[in-house]
Amino acid sequence: MENYWNKQQQKPHTLRNGGLWRDESGRHINAHGGGIMKYGDTYYWFGEHKDDHTSNAMVGVMCYASKDLMNWRNCGVALSVTDERGHDIERGCILERPKVIYNKVTGKFCMWFHLELKGRGYNAARYGVAVADRPEGPYKFLYSSRANAGTWPIEFDKKACAIADTLNMDNYKKWWTPSWRKAIDKGLFVKRDFAAGQMSRDMTLYIDDDGKAYHIFASEDNVTLHIAELTADYLHHTGRYTRVASGGQNEAPAIFKHDGTYWMITSGCTGWEPNEARMFSAPSIWGPWTQHPNPCRGPKAEKTFNGQSTFVLTLEDGRHIFMADIWRPRHPRDARYIWIPIEFEDNKPVIRWRDEVTF
Ligand code: DGJ
């Protein structure tokens, strides 16, 4: 095992994809399933702190800061788990894929993440929200919840709502049959979770040019993605949401806009094992979303280079950087990172493997 405290390569000129990425103190950066927010002239990288032997949250969300995307200063724990028994973010819960956005109107930094309550596996399927006055935190936990209880997706007209309302889980016990697929399409799981709220697992956040923000998450037992609009303070859902790729089993959504087109890169659902990336585009955040072939090229392109998408960072010059995690479930802390600038071919994003990148 490599030594985290080994101080070689203190000022990296390149980042080696899949290598050990050290912060300014020489330690392997511990910010998995992460995302980046730029505030002022500084990039803030938020991600899951992972332990040596468990993927559960024993510490919380880490924050690192950099001015050049290459040299990262450890800003410490941005959102800390707690030892209070029964608390939503009790130490040992599952807290994944944290993302932070800045709200220009309130002046607050808003963090959303996927939360699973301690001891309940992946059954809670909630999102959590925390807020801070400074980018690096400390973030104050506000609440956790299922999503959009009591509301149908915007594409369901009166008739579709009435049909969805009649769907009964007892009639569709077997998954993946043609009739089950049809029922999923019509909202079988949306109806099942209508009153309690929709499931919310792998997620990202996106702020559009008009300042509206969206929460994009794997819902309906990871079978269908939801895109939900956030309130002006970025702390709640408005109740407006749309479904994407119903029955498509997408996780790990990462979204960006290029020349007016919305692009989303996702993965399939194979736990910590890598699989082939998927890609979608739409003329509006509300769709319609069209699926495209895998954007990855090069060795292990059919397994996303052994990684899984987590975020796409758009730079001020319009370039986009695809970010992925190479998970190490047996040594979660030692999971690695892949960052690759996105190219465009025939107006479509292409992610071509690179051993090293520099910014
Ligand atoms: C895949 C998800 O993308 C990860 O964030 C994590 O939840 C794992 N599944 C757990 O198996």
Side-chain angles (χ1 to χ4, degrees), residues 33 48 50 55 94 96-97 114 116 122 201-203 222 251-253 267-273 308-309 325 327:
E48 304 158 27
K50 292 235 182 257
S55 283
I94 294 172
E96 294 180 337
R97 298 184 179 272
H114 167 201
E116 299 291 348
Y122 277 85
R201 292 202 183 114
D202 275 13
M203 57 144 281
N222 286 356
E251 282 192 320
S267 75
C269 297
T270 50
W272 301 112
E273 291 300 314
Q308 187 185 27
S309 43
D325 298 282
W327 300 116

Side-chain angles (χ1 to χ4, degrees), residues 149-162:
T151 51
W152 297 109
I154 56 160
E155 60 273 17
F156 279 24
D157 58 16
K158 257 196 170 165
K159 197 170 154 214
C161 294

